[in-house]
Amino acid sequence: MKRLLTLALAIILMLTITVSASAAEFVESITNKGAPELVVIDIVDGKEVVGFITGPNGEKLSTEYLECLIITSIAEAKDDKDIPDDAREELLKVYEELNKPGVDLSDVCPDLDDIVKEKWDENKTANDLVVKDLFDITDYCDDIKEHLKGGSILDLTFDLGIASGTFITAMVYVDGKWVPVVDCINNGDGTVTVKFDQICPVAFLVPGSGVNMSTVSPTTSDASGIIMYSTILVLALGAIVALVIYRRKVNG
């Protein structure tokens, strides 16, 4: 009997440690999926326009073309020859950092908590979000970073196939830390328009409930993983109870 109780406690402890040591959660497999597509909003001189940079007073400073922007996902970063080495290294680094055990989004980007409470649910925090997409934006034609100084904004629209009404926000990795984007708008047609004041690695974040989640890596926990562990726990305890009843019948 003591051995059975010891086994039960060992199983419970193992499951508790596994769940509590989770990293930031991801939607789908970030290591396998491609980057989100930019939406073309106009054609100018035969070139596909994907956005504009506007100044603090709304004046247009530059036009951004599809051919000038390279969007690189985690899955593509290791083999894509177009992305600069420093951008590739930074993207892979932030992915690994988000995957470290014990990492949570409220610590990674504290300002997200206010955004979640204001635009989604006052009882939620950033820890109730999961990373839907993680990718790098690299500009090959213009110096976007220079144009974005002094309060300028870059508007880009992505086709994410997101359901209408779903809360979504985004953060960018700048100077060694994650900060929220200026704004992130669900357009209700599967696309999302983001207002950037800086570009670099970008992460889209959505609520962790009601979405299709699967494990990104062996160190990453998600809702399906918790369900699996709970099922194992119930089955283990059920087996122990059955053994106890059986032994009592045999000894009785």
Side-chain angles (χ1 to χ4, degrees):
M1 185 65 180
K2 289 183 178 179
R3 290 181 179 179
L4 292 175
L5 291 175
T6 300
L7 176 60
L9 290 173
I11 293 173
I12 293 171
L13 178 61
M14 177 188 69
L15 294 175
T16 302
I17 291 174
T18 304
V19 173
S20 62
S22 64
E25 296 179 7
F26 292 80
V27 172
E28 302 176 353
S29 179
I30 298 295
T31 57
N32 294 326
K33 67 186 301 187
E37 294 184 3
L38 283 170
V39 176
V40 175
I41 60 175
D42 198 2
I43 303 292
V44 175
D45 296 330
K47 295 182 179 181
E48 297 175 309
V49 177
V50 291
F52 303 96
I53 293 181
T54 54
N57 298 318
E59 69 277 19
K60 186 168 72 174
L61 301 179
S62 70
T63 300
E64 302 305 324
Y65 300 98
L66 180 62
E67 64 185 33
C68 292
L69 293 174
I70 301 298
I71 311 296
T72 308
S73 69
I74 291 294
E76 299 162 337
K78 296 180 181 179
D79 301 318
D80 194 333
K81 304 302 180 182
D82 291 328
I83 184 174
D85 290 341
D86 56 344
R88 176 188 297 106
E89 291 171 3
E90 186 172 56
L91 179 61
L92 295 176
K93 182 189 77 170
V94 297
Y95 169 70
E96 292 299 328
E97 288 178 350
L98 287 175
N99 261 327
K100 289 180 180 178
V103 171
D104 61 50
L105 292 173
S106 286
D107 290 335
V108 167
C109 186
D111 291 339
L112 283 178
D113 282 344
D114 293 334
I115 294 174
V116 167
K117 293 181 183 301
E118 177 185 350
K119 297 186 177 182
W120 177 32
D121 189 325
E122 62 180 10
N123 297 314
K124 303 291 187 180
T125 69
N127 290 331
D128 294 297
L129 302 175
V130 294
V131 181
K132 175 175 174 53
D133 291 278
L134 179 61
F135 57 94
D136 174 77
I137 302 178
T138 298
D139 174 36
Y140 276 83
C141 301
D142 301 314
D143 194 341
I144 290 180
K145 292 184 178 180
E146 283 297 318
H147 285 147
L148 287 177
K149 290 182 177 179
S152 299
I153 299 296
L154 168 63
D155 289 290
L156 293 176
T157 298
F158 299 85
D159 186 358
L160 300 182
I162 190 170
S164 176
T166 300
F167 170 74
I168 185 167
T169 188
M171 59 184 184
V172 290
Y173 191 77
V174 182
D175 297 330
K177 64 180 182 180
W178 287 101
V179 296
V181 296
V182 176
D183 201 7
C184 187
I185 303 167
N186 184 341
N187 297 317
D189 59 358
T191 68
V192 173
T193 298
V194 183
K195 296 180 180 295
F196 296 97
D197 59 0
Q198 302 177 82
I199 63 165
C200 35
V202 180
F204 279 120
L205 309 163
V206 295
S209 60
V211 293
N212 179 25
M213 295 186 294
S214 58
T215 305
V216 174
S217 71
T219 61
T220 302
S221 172
D222 58 16
S224 60
I226 293 174
I227 292 173
M228 178 186 70
Y229 294 132
S230 299
T231 302
I232 293 173
L233 177 59
V234 170
L235 291 174
L237 293 177
I240 291 171
V241 170
L243 285 172
V244 171
I245 294 173
Y246 174 76
R247 287 190 62 180
R248 285 181 178 176
K249 286 183 177 180
V250 171
N251 296 330

